Structures are given as C-alpha cells and as structure tokens.
C-alpha cells in the first residue's frame, strides 16, 4: 500500500498522473490476470469447437441430471439456512443473553473449516463406519453417497451466510419499532411479519443470493459425501471434474461455462441490490 | 432497551420487550448443535480414539507434515499477495472514477460466486503448458506444474475478494477532510499515510488477511486441478484427508483434520488477539 497516494477525494485529480496511472494499471493487470483471463478461458475453451458440441455437452443425460440435482440441493439447503439465519439473527440482534458472542462465533465456525472436513464429519456420523451407520444400514436408509448427505454438507458450508448478513443489519435497526408494535398489542409473529420483515427483506435477499451461489457451486464437501455416481449423485461441479479428468475438455468447459453464467448472474443481481440498497454494500464478505 | 430489575431469578438477563427469544434461541442452538457442533465433535472423537502413538504416527507422518507446511505456506503467501494488492485495488476502486469502475468492482466478487472447480480447471488450463499465460511463462523457464506456484495462484484467486471487501468500506468512510487536515497541518503524504490512514485501515486489513488465509488453508476445489498433487511436493492437507478417506482410513483422516483445525484456529486466535491488542493501543 505504500505506493498509493494518500490524497483526499477532492484532491485525487491533482495527484501526479504517473502515480494514478501506475496504480490503475497495476490493479487492472492484477484483476485481468486473476479474474478476467480465467473467465475468458472457460468460454473460449467451451466454445473451441463451436456452439453445437458445447450445447450437446449441456443437453447430455448426465449433465441434465447433474443440473437437476444441483437445483434440488440449492432448493433444500438455501431455504433451510434462510430460516435458520432469520431465527439466529432475531435471537442475537434483538436480545441480550450471556454467551452471545460465543454463539455468533460458533455460527461463523463453518467458514473456517475446510470443505473437505465438512464432508468428513458427516461421513463419520452417518457413514458405514460412523456413529449411526449400522443402524441406518439396518433400516435401509442411505445418507452418505446419496442426496441427503450432499444436502447436509451443503447446509454446513453455507451455514453462516444469511445470519452473517442479517445480524449487523438487525442490530443497526435496533428494537424500537418492535417494542412499539408489541406494546400496542401485536403478537410476536405479527411483529416479525409486519415490522421486522419489511426492514430486513433486502438484506435477506442479499444473504440468500450469496448462500445460493455457494450452495450450487460447492465442490470439496460435496465431493467427499457424494460417492460420484454418474447421473445420480453428481452435482454440476462434480460433473465438471469428471469430464475434465476424462479429457473431455469441451464438455467440461461447456458445463463450467453454464456455471460461469450463473455466477455472473449472481454478481449482476448483487450489483442491482447494492445500487437499490447502498447500505448493503458495506459488508461484502 | 429496558433493563428489568424485576427479572427475578435471572439477574444476568436484561429482558428485552421484544418477544421470541426462547423460541428463536432454542431453534438456533438446536440446529447449530445438530448441523455443526455434534458432527464436528465426531472428528475429535474419531481422531482421539487413536492411541497417542498411532495418532502421532498418522498425524505427524513425514507426508502429513509436508502437507501442513505446504498448505500453511502457500495460504500465507497468497494472503500476503492479496493483502498488498487488495488494499491497492480497494484504493483505486474507492478513490478514482473511471469508465468500467462499477464493472471491475463487481468482478472482484467473482471468486465468491464462481464454483471452485470451475476456477480450478480454468486456472489449470490458463497456466498449463499450452495456456495463454502458461506457454509464454514456460518459454521463460517458469512452470506451475507440480509445485507450490500453482497452488499460490489458485489461493490468490480464492482469497482475492476478502481484503478488498473488508478494506473498501473503511476507505470509503475515512473522511477525506481528516487527510486534508493532516496535509494542511504540514504533514507529507507519506506521514499522512502512516499516521492517519494506516491506523484506521489496519483492523479491517488484518481481518481481510485472516479471512483470506483461513479460506486458503482449507481450500480444495480450485487447487487440486492445478497442483499436480505429488506427495511431498504439491499435496495439500485437504487432499491428503480425501486420500485417507478413499482408503477408508477414517481415523487417520480425522487425525489429520484435527491437526489442520487446530492449526487454523490457533492462527485465527493469534490474529484476533493481535487485533484486539492493536485496537486497545490505538484507543489508548
């Protein structure tokens, strides 16, 4: 950071031109090499033999099954985490209780756990050698190497997203409006629906958006619990890996391109939310 | 918030007039326990079920120690790169107006939105022997196959948004007039930077660094395609865990996972303590 001029916003224009150009060039070079080139690589590789093979790779049976599974996983894990996030932030932001900061740290815990470990823990609990493995097998229930395990692992890695977004927002809003509603006789549920929900809906949308992007893109955790049964337990990112390892680069990058388009859609929605609600822009992580 | 002294039997609890604490806290703690805490305890239980000797043998085998050092070292280097270039990026995005700024700003978040496997195959191709960047670099004698360089590239990609996004709001709120005052009182630009800008930036900067670092230590999807995954050379810890799992050696996988969790928690603790200490010393 030492190379950066510390001029005020008003004075930035009077900074030496070479310094501004140098800083801008460095940043554009960095983002170009780290972000734009990888993005371009996906589309160029995916379309290297034209549109038809890429389209065929996406329309292929296993790819469609993977797409369906990915959407199913997101459709279960995202609402689950949204409900949890609202509950947790209601408890944390609107009340005081001992151990609150510990609770917040524990909610954030999944962010500092490797995705592979996130998969491993469910294998240890529900896998054949795991705590409930023998019981589950006796009752013919499969969790690991099946859809429930993928859902659990996805919930784990996306666990903090919504709560993290809502807690600071709800803390900043305080409890005055809720207290007023309650003192005028509104029930708790009514207070939440009529008073709190309208205040947090954009923050919730923002958290859900980030949660959904990670849920559809998770690889490490899902890879451990999925078992890689083609057309059955392969999500889109796992399908990309399989195609790539089979040297089907056009196919791998075609499916990856579809995931890229989803990611770019996420970023576009996020930018729209930030333009509509500038207060959301203050905590991007 | 009303402090109810009449809250008999629970003197520690400041009663809020807002209802629903019991229900929401109950749901939160139950779900947190079922989804996060109890499964995490399973790793500790399985890892510690080994005798101390066999724990040491699997968790501190030569191969495992290489993997820890590689994971920590590459994550550290990538986090440092991101700390330096991230703060520069945030500065340029906040303090300059140029065409395409909004687009560039949005693209900084791409590593959050893009599936890691996609990033992995893309970086592996880009820096591979026939890639746009890999081919010219290979002619210059620099390769990223089977060494730490490729891992650092992948971890730099994954950690890129953290520093930018934590520093950006602080930079935006840092009142320009404070800097102007400092300048008008005769401070040189460097003095303003060190005495005025750096102290207010430091906590967010360190937070971003720690987040990028923690993410890098555990990262898997973006790394395995580019790294070559050679034992003792380019095999990261999460990969070693999956290898043990594929051999159904759950105890070894848990032991390695425990060491990794311990290392990353210890490092985060150091960062947090340092940050608290720094905040106290700037406030004093």
């Amino acid at each position: 950071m030492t190379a950066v001029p510390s001029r005020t916003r008003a004075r930035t224009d009077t900074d030496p031109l070479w310094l501004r150009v140098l800083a801008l060039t460095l940043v554009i070079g960095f983002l170009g090499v780290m972000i734009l080139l990888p993005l371009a690589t996906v589309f160029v590789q995916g379309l290297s033999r034209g549109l038809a093979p890429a389209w065929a790779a996406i329309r292929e049976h296993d790819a469609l099954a993977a797409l369906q599974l990915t959407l199913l996983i997101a459709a279960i894990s995202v609402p689950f985490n949204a409900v949890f996030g609202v509950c947790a932030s209601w408890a944390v932001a609107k009340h005081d209780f001992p151990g609150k900061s510990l609770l917040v740290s524990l909610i954030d815990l999944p962010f500092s756990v490797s995705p592979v470990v996130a998969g491993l823990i469910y294998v240890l609990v529900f896998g054949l050698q795991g705590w409930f493995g023998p019981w589950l097998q006796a009752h013919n229930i499969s969790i690991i190497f099946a859809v429930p395990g993928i859902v659990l692992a996805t919930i784990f890695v996306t666990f903090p997203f919504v709560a993290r977004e809502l807690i600071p927002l709800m803390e900043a809003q305080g409890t005055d409006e809720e207290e007023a509603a309650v003192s005028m006789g509104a029930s708790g549920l009514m207070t939440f629906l009529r008073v709190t929900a309208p205040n947090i809906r954009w923050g919730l949308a923002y958290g859900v958006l980030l949660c959904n992007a990670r849920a559809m893109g998770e690889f490490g955790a899902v890879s451990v619990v999925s078992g890689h049964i083609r057309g059955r337990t392969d999500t889109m990112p796992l399908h990309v890996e399989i195609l790539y390892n089979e040297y089907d680069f056009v196919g791998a990058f075609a499916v990856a391109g579809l995931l890229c388009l989803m990611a770019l859609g996420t970023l576009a929605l996020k930018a729209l939310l930030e333009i509509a609600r500038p207060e959301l822009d203050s905590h991007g992580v | 918030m009303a402090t109810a002294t009449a809250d008999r039997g629970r003197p520690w609890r400041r009663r809020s007039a807002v209802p629903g604490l019991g229900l929401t806290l109950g749901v939160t703690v139950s779900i947190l326990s079922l989804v996060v805490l109890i499964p995490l305890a399973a790793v500790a239980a399985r890892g510690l079920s080994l005798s101390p000797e066999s724990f040491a043998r699997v968790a501190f085998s030569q191969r495992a120690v290489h993997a820890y050092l590689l994971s920590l070292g590459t994550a550290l280097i990538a986090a440092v790169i991101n700390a330096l270039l991230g703060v520069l990026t945030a500065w340029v995005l906040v303090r300059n107006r140029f065409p395409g700024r909004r687009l560039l700003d949005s693209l900084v978040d791409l590593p959050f939105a893009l599936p890691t496997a996609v990033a992995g195959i893309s970086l592996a191709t880009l820096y591979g022997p026939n890639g746009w960047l890999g081919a010219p670099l290979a002619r210059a004698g620099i390769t990223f196959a089977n060494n730490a360089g490729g891992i650092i590239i992948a971890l730099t990609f994954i950690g890129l948004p953290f520093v930018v996004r934590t520093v950006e709001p602080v930079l935006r709120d840092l009142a320009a007039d404070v800097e102007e005052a400092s300048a008008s009182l005769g401070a040189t630009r460097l003095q303003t930077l060190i005495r005025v800008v750096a102290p207010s930036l430091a906590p967010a900067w360190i937070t971003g660094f720690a987040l990028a670092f923690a993410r890098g230590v555990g990262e898997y999807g973006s790394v395995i395609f580019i790294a070559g995954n050679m034992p003792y050379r380019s095999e990261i810890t999460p990969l070693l865990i999956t290898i043990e799992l594929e051999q159904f050696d759950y105890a070894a996988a848990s032991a390695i996972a425990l060491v990794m969790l311990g290392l990353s928690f210890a490092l985060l603790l150091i960062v947090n303590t340092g940050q608290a200490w720094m905040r106290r010393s700037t406030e004093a």
Side-chain angles (χ1 to χ4, degrees), chain B residues 203 272-284:
Chain B
N272 285 340
T273 318
Q275 208 178 11
W277 175 80
M278 213 164 59
R279 201 170 288 148
R280 265 200 310 277
S281 66
T282 46
E283 273 165 12

Side-chain angles (χ1 to χ4, degrees), chain A residues 5 38 95-96 114 122 129 270, chain B residues 14 18 35 46 91 109 122 218:
Chain A
H95 302 91
D96 261 332
S114 170
Y122 292 109
Q129 296 181 37
K270 184 169 174 288
Chain B
R14 286 200 300 151
V18 181
V35 173
R46 182 59 71 98
W91 190 281
D109 280 331
S122 176

Side-chain angles (χ1 to χ4, degrees), chain A residues 1 4-8 12 24 33-34 38 88 90 94-96 98 114-115 121-122 124 129 219 253 270 282, chain B residues 12 14 16 18-19 28 35 43 46 87-88 91 95 109 122 125 127 153 157 169 176 179-180 189 218 221 254 260:
Chain A
M1 63 177 282
V4 190
S6 73
R7 297 302 275 251
T8 63
T12 307
L24 191 60
V33 167
M34 287 321 299
W90 181 270
K94 301 285 179 189
H95 302 91
D96 261 332
S114 170
I121 60 179
Y122 292 109
L124 293 178
Q129 296 181 37
F219 178 75
F253 279 103
K270 184 169 174 288
S282 55
Chain B
W12 40 264
R14 286 200 300 151
S16 161
V18 181
T28 302
V35 173
V43 181
R46 182 59 71 98
V87 93
L88 185 68
W91 190 281
R95 293 291 166 100
D109 280 331
S122 176
T125 305
Y127 288 89
I153 288 172
F157 174 87
E179 284 168 62
E180 218 158 66
R189 234 192 255 173
S254 305
M260 194 169 96

Side-chain angles (χ1 to χ4, degrees), chain A residues 28-182:
Chain A
I28 290 180
F30 177 54
L31 295 182
V33 167
M34 287 321 299
I35 305 264
L36 293 177
L37 281 182
L39 200 56
T41 300
V42 173
F43 292 112
V44 169
Q45 292 285 332
L47 297 173
S48 58
R49 296 223 194 98
L51 202 58
W55 184 240
I58 292 171
R59 289 292 308 273
E60 186 250 341
H61 172 266
D62 290 345
L64 283 180
L67 175 63
Q68 272 177 359
L69 182 61
T70 292
L71 294 177
L72 174 71
I73 302 296
I76 301 171
S77 52
V78 174
F80 181 92
N81 278 336
V83 170
F84 169 81
V86 169
C87 262
S89 38
W90 181 270
V92 167
K94 301 285 179 189
H95 302 91
D96 261 332
F97 51 89
K100 189 157 110 168
S101 59
L102 176 69
L103 182 66
V104 174
S105 311
L106 289 177
I107 292 172
D108 270 348
L109 193 62
F111 274 165
S112 40
V113 172
S114 170
V116 168
V117 177
L120 166 71
I121 60 179
Y122 292 109
V123 173
L124 293 178
V125 174
F126 299 112
L128 256 188
Q129 296 181 37
W131 285 347
F132 302 114
W135 186 88
L136 289 168
Q137 203 193 19
H139 291 77
N140 224 351
I141 305 169
S142 37
I143 290 185
I144 297 306
F145 304 146
V147 175
I150 303 177
V151 171
L152 279 170
T154 305
I155 286 176
F156 184 95
V157 291
T158 55
F159 197 66
F161 277 103
V162 175
R164 236 187 131 95
E165 209 56 54
L166 287 184
I167 289 173
L169 184 68
M170 282 168 76
E171 268 174 350
Q173 285 167 353
T175 56
D176 292 350
E177 291 182 35
E178 283 81 7
E179 280 171 20
V182 169

Side-chain angles (χ1 to χ4, degrees), chain A residues 212-225:
Chain A
N212 181 59
R214 181 73 195 266
M216 299 210 296
E218 179 49 32
F219 178 75
V222 167
S223 141
V224 170
V225 295

Side-chain angles (χ1 to χ4, degrees), chain B residues 129-146:
Chain B
N130 302 317
W132 291 336
L133 294 173
L137 285 169
R139 277 196 293 278
I142 306 166
T143 60
F144 294 100
N146 307 329

